[in-house]
Amino acid sequence: GQNIDQPTEMTATEGAIVQINCTYQTSGFNGLFWYQQHAGEAPTFLSYNVLDGLEEKGRFSSFLSRSKGYSYLLLKELQMKDSASYLCAVMDSNYQLIWGAGTKLIIKP
Amino acid sequence: GAVVSQHPSRVICKSGTSVKIECRSLDFQATTMFWYRQFPKQSLMLMATSNEGSKATYEQGVEKDKFLINHASLTLSTLTVTSAHPEDSSFYICSARFGTGDSYEQYFGPGTRLTVT
């Protein structure tokens, strides 16, 4: 079966760095997405990785290792507004997104 | 990024009535639109995938006669929850996709919170 695993909840301090991991087992791979979702709102796109390596975009970076079925989202200089759920999703061979359950990130002052 | 709108954002209806939710891609033509349902603290559950002008493909366990999807144009898809019951209360989110090269990024609507009383 297809499976996406990510931690349920993480806590970090304002100004610090946090890494949210995601491991996956899917039928085929056409890219991995990270989305941010604030409570009661729809997800917003953060990053897309289809090749191995690190993609940096401002305070957020995303890493992919296809051979290990592994990705992480790195958030630097954390701000209170970064408190949200972070969803990892993999696009399978049918170009459909398989979603993880999300990681709730709590930022403390 | 591209913009997807949903209407209404919130709706409360009585049990047994039908509710229509609209999803529009405002500045691009969506080759494919998706309808998701999200229960509290759970991942998004794909309900159906629709391509313009063709019938929607429903995921296993989703009743096609209860959740009617119409994808009339490249910018509009509608989801109608027929004969709604309290267990249909949920957050319904649509997304739209256009394929450009190697990226099949999906853009999400803001979601519609449905409460059935």
Side-chain angles (χ1 to χ4, degrees), chain A residues 73-85:
Chain A
L73 179 69
L74 191 71
L75 292 77
K76 303 177 184 177
E77 301 170 20
L78 286 170
Q79 301 175 9
M80 297 304 293
K81 67 178 182 179
D82 297 330
S83 292
S85 284

Side-chain angles (χ1 to χ4, degrees), chain A residues 30 33 48 50 91 95, chain B residues 2 28-31 97-107:
Chain A
N30 280 299
F33 297 79
Y48 170 73
V50 68
M91 185 165 281
Y95 292 97
Chain B
F28 68 99
Q29 293 186 326
T31 52
R97 183 178 80 191
F98 62 93
T100 55
D102 293 330
S103 176
Y104 285 84
E105 183 179 325
Q106 288 187 20
Y107 298 93

Side-chain angles (χ1 to χ4, degrees), chain A residues 47-58:
Chain A
S47 68
Y48 170 73
N49 294 68
V50 68
L51 299 176
D52 289 350
L54 186 68
E55 295 274 346
E56 297 187 74
K57 192 184 291 186

Side-chain angles (χ1 to χ4, degrees), chain B:
Chain B
V3 178
V4 176
S5 71
Q6 265 182 256
H7 177 80
S9 58
R10 287 177 179 268
V11 58
I12 300 173
C13 71
K14 291 186 177 180
S15 186
T17 61
S18 296
V19 174
K20 180 186 283 188
I21 303 170
E22 289 188 351
C23 175
R24 294 180 185 273
S25 57
L26 298 184
D27 52 1
F28 68 99
Q29 293 186 326
T31 52
T32 308
M33 286 188 168
F34 304 85
W35 285 96
Y36 293 89
R37 184 172 176 176
Q38 187 176 39
F39 294 97
K41 300 182 180 179
Q42 295 186 29
S43 61
L44 295 173
M45 183 194 80
L46 179 65
M47 298 175 66
T49 303
S50 71
N51 295 295
E52 183 265 340
S54 61
K55 289 184 179 179
T57 302
Y58 289 81
E59 295 299 300
Q60 193 171 9
V62 178
E63 299 175 57
K64 58 183 67 176
D65 293 332
K66 180 170 182 61
F67 298 99
L68 301 178
I69 292 174
N70 186 342
H71 194 159
S73 73
L74 284 170
T75 60
L76 173 64
S77 177
T78 60
L79 167 68
T80 302
V81 182
T82 62
S83 187
H85 289 100
E87 57 264 32
D88 298 325
S89 298
S90 190
F91 192 44
Y92 292 87
I93 305 172
C94 77
S95 71
R97 183 178 80 191
F98 62 93
T100 55
D102 293 330
S103 176
Y104 285 84
E105 183 179 325
Q106 288 187 20
Y107 298 93
F108 285 86
T112 297
R113 187 160 299 284
L114 170 64
T115 303
V116 184
T117 60

